[in-house]
Amino acid sequence: MFVMLNLLTTMKIGLIGSDNLVHFIADLIKNADGLEITGCYDDNYAIARDFATRYQIIRYPTFEALFRYVDAVVINLKSNDALGTVENCLKHFKHVFLINAQYLRYESYLHLEKIAEESNVKFYPVFGINLGLLLNDIATRRNLLFINISHTYSSNQGIYLKGNLPALILQDINLILTMANANVKKVHAGGWGLDQQGTGILNVKLDFDNASSSNLLISNVGKKEELKAVFYFKSEIIQIDCTDYLIKQSCKDYDDNQQKAIDYKFTDNELFLQEFKLFRTSVQNNLLLNQIPDNKYKSIRVAHLIQEKINHLTSSPIFY
């Protein structure tokens, strides 16, 4: 019983939970074109009441009451019993925009995707910053030969690379797959110090079916978090520096040896709003998730394959 939204129709959104991230989402979309917050629900009556008062929306007493008046729901996976809540929404034929989806296991994704397919609704997981949305002009280029990405976390962040690897690398894997625009043929992964704070290094190599490849180096030994990427095309090199939310795009053409530089800032707000618009478009046009210009499910699968490969690794250097 899939109901497409007309291109001119506003998507009515219900918010489940009232934590800080849901507040952030509410502030972001309350004035966005084509999006309207209809109401909220939370197990805690007082919190839900205050949330509804702040945003001048309706506090619904039950899930079922909320479902009657919304097209889609926003859920933060870190809230209590979020997985069960997502299932409940999908089974009630509501589209779901899931924040912090990187903390789900791959099997849970498949389970939720199956329920969404049976209910003929959209399940849209969001994990981290989707830089691919900002680099569409580069992603459409052809003759990509190699991708090299270095993502360094601060040693003060208390990150253990082996602890919850998919959550750490999904952003980077998604960027690689978006830019490669090809299927992964083989995954290589290895490293050392992965179960230690401030000493871990992980190296991942992906081979693609179009003969291109990528290398991803993750470490937790830096002074601050930094993300840098280099894309080697047949006729040019493009470098991206995403440190401090700044993209520095420098292109060098092999033929005329000319260097061009473009710098621009971006914010979480900008990217979350783009994700929402992509979500709304998929609902409007009844697109399958793999028809959306994104590689979420492939990224999830690859990230968990990498996790499986390093689960047995110790502090000794190993690569296979």
Side-chain angles (χ1 to χ4, degrees):
M1 81 177 254
F2 187 94
V3 179
M4 287 195 303
L5 295 177
N6 183 279
L7 290 176
L8 300 178
T9 300
T10 296
M11 175 184 276
K12 298 184 183 299
I13 297 172
L15 303 175
I16 296 182
S18 306
D19 55 34
N20 290 335
L21 189 51
V22 176
H23 274 279
F24 166 75
I25 293 297
D27 286 330
L28 180 65
I29 66 177
K30 64 182 180 181
N31 296 318
D33 292 337
L35 300 171
E36 176 188 335
I37 305 175
T38 302
C40 66
Y41 170 80
D42 195 290
D43 291 334
N44 188 308
Y45 173 85
I47 291 178
R49 178 197 60 205
D50 294 343
F51 187 91
T53 300
R54 173 176 174 177
Y55 294 100
Q56 297 182 327
I57 57 177
I58 300 172
R59 180 201 62 80
Y60 290 100
T62 64
F63 281 127
E64 290 73 20
L66 176 68
F67 293 155
R68 292 194 195 103
Y69 301 99
V70 300
D71 304 307
V73 294
V74 175
I75 304 171
N76 180 10
L77 185 62
K78 287 190 171 182
S79 59
N80 294 333
D81 192 32
L83 185 58
T85 302
V86 174
E87 287 189 31
N88 195 7
C89 294
L90 295 173
K91 288 178 179 179
H92 279 81
F93 309 105
K94 299 304 170 187
H95 310 290
V96 173
F97 188 90
L98 181 62
I99 312 167
N100 276 323
Q102 65 267 29
Y103 295 101
L104 273 181
R105 293 193 56 80
Y106 180 64
E107 293 76 14
S108 299
Y109 284 106
L110 296 181
H111 175 63
L112 294 173
E113 183 183 21
K114 182 179 179 181
I115 296 175
E117 184 178 352
E118 292 171 349
S119 299
N120 203 16
V121 293
K122 302 303 175 191
F123 168 55
Y124 193 100
V126 177
F127 39 79
I129 298 174
N130 188 356
L131 291 171
L133 294 175
L134 295 176
L135 304 175
N136 287 331
D137 60 325
I138 302 176
T140 57
R141 303 187 186 199
R142 295 294 180 264
N143 300 317
L144 178 66
L145 302 175
F146 183 68
I147 300 172
N148 189 53
I149 294 182
S150 174
H151 196 159
T152 302
Y153 290 93
S154 167
S155 57
N156 297 323
Q157 289 178 263
I159 291 176
Y160 298 84
L161 297 182
K162 198 173 179 180
N164 191 6
L165 187 64
L168 291 176
I169 66 174
L170 266 170
Q171 169 189 332
D172 305 314
I173 297 298
N174 190 53
L175 176 59
I176 289 173
L177 296 187
T178 299
M179 303 306 294
N181 196 26
N183 295 315
V184 176
K185 187 170 68 173
K186 192 168 184 180
V187 177
H188 311 265
W192 57 91
L194 302 177
D195 52 358
Q196 301 175 31
Q197 178 182 341
T199 60
I201 296 178
L202 170 71
N203 198 80
V204 176
K205 183 175 182 291
L206 302 179
D207 296 326
F208 298 98
D209 60 4
N210 63 355
S212 65
S213 62
S214 69
N215 191 75
L216 170 63
L217 183 66
I218 304 279
S219 67
N220 57 4
V221 298
K223 294 183 178 179
K224 65 177 182 177
E225 185 173 356
E226 296 181 313
L227 173 58
K228 298 182 179 181
V230 184
F231 306 98
Y232 296 87
F233 292 86
K234 188 174 181 179
S235 60
E236 64 182 342
I237 298 175
I238 298 177
Q239 302 179 57
I240 306 293
D241 185 347
C242 300
T243 305
D244 299 324
Y245 292 91
L246 175 65
I247 291 185
K248 298 180 179 179
Q249 179 179 329
S250 57
C251 308
K252 184 174 183 179
D253 194 298
Y254 295 126
D255 296 329
D256 58 15
N257 202 30
Q258 301 243 339
Q259 185 111 11
K260 303 175 183 177
I262 304 173
D263 293 4
Y264 53 95
K265 297 282 289 185
F266 66 95
T267 65
D268 285 342
N269 297 33
E270 178 183 353
L271 291 175
F272 263 105
L273 193 54
Q274 286 196 50
E275 291 270 27
F276 256 104
K277 290 179 178 178
L278 195 58
F279 172 55
R280 181 174 181 264
T281 299
S282 71
V283 172
Q284 288 174 333
N285 299 327
N286 196 12
L287 296 176
L288 297 174
L289 197 57
N290 60 11
Q291 292 175 303
I292 300 173
D294 192 49
N295 290 278
K296 292 180 183 293
Y297 281 98
K298 289 181 181 178
S299 302
I300 294 162
R301 180 56 182 156
V302 170
H304 282 83
L305 282 174
I306 295 168
Q307 177 76 73
E308 291 172 7
K309 283 183 174 289
I310 69 163
N311 274 342
H312 70 286
L313 298 184
T314 63
S315 297
S316 302
I318 300 177
F319 193 91
Y320 71 99

